Amino acid sequence: VQLQASGGGLVQAGGSLRLSCAASGSRVRINDMNWHRQAPGKQRELVAGISSSGSTNYGDSVKGRFTISRDNAKNTVYLQMNNLKPEDTAVYYCEADYIDPAPVVGRVWGQGTQVTVSS
């Protein structure tokens, strides 16, 4: 299973960005999908998560501004980020939990995409 993230970039404070992350892999079932971020000098933190049934959870710092969604048919998770703030600047990573046909339960991370918010 591999994850390919895209959609990062440079935006002014108050602007919006949409991140995407697509999972590829034959005959795997994707369960929870999550977005994490890591700013320079800080620990990686959970931004938002979504289960296969659509239940969501958010970090306190992004509630009301970010929305996570997914398209199960495409094994893709999205993160819509509105009203961005300079403190949202970080590398954003997608992560997915999966079950393969063995069955083996695993976790995979994407390569990270840079989000920079200028003041």
Side-chain angles (χ1 to χ4, degrees):
V1 179
Q2 291 185 327
L3 298 179
Q4 181 67 45
S6 61
L10 173 64
V11 64
Q12 289 188 333
S16 298
L17 282 174
R18 188 191 194 208
L19 306 182
S20 300
C21 178
S24 61
S26 60
R27 301 192 300 150
V28 285
R29 174 180 173 177
I30 304 296
N31 292 327
D32 293 348
M33 301 186 82
N34 304 294
W35 286 98
H36 303 255
R37 68 185 181 187
Q38 187 166 20
K42 295 187 177 181
Q43 290 188 330
R44 189 173 295 189
E45 64 173 343
L46 176 67
V47 176
I50 186 167
S51 71
S52 57
S53 62
S55 297
T56 60
N57 62 284
Y58 296 92
D60 288 342
S61 62
V62 306
K63 285 180 180 177
R65 300 187 298 123
F66 291 10
T67 302
I68 189 170
S69 61
R70 65 189 286 170
D71 183 336
N72 288 334
K74 298 180 179 179
N75 279 338
T76 299
V77 63
Y78 306 96
L79 185 68
Q80 178 66 43
M81 305 184 293
N82 297 329
N83 190 21
L84 282 160
K85 303 176 180 181
E87 52 264 41
D88 294 316
T89 296
V91 177
Y92 285 69
Y93 299 89
C94 57
E95 170 257 308
D97 298 333
Y98 66 90
I99 300 175
D100 72 14
V104 172
V105 175
R107 175 168 292 174
V108 62
W109 290 81
Q111 82 282 12
T113 185
Q114 177 70 47
V115 171
T116 303
V117 185
S118 62
S119 57

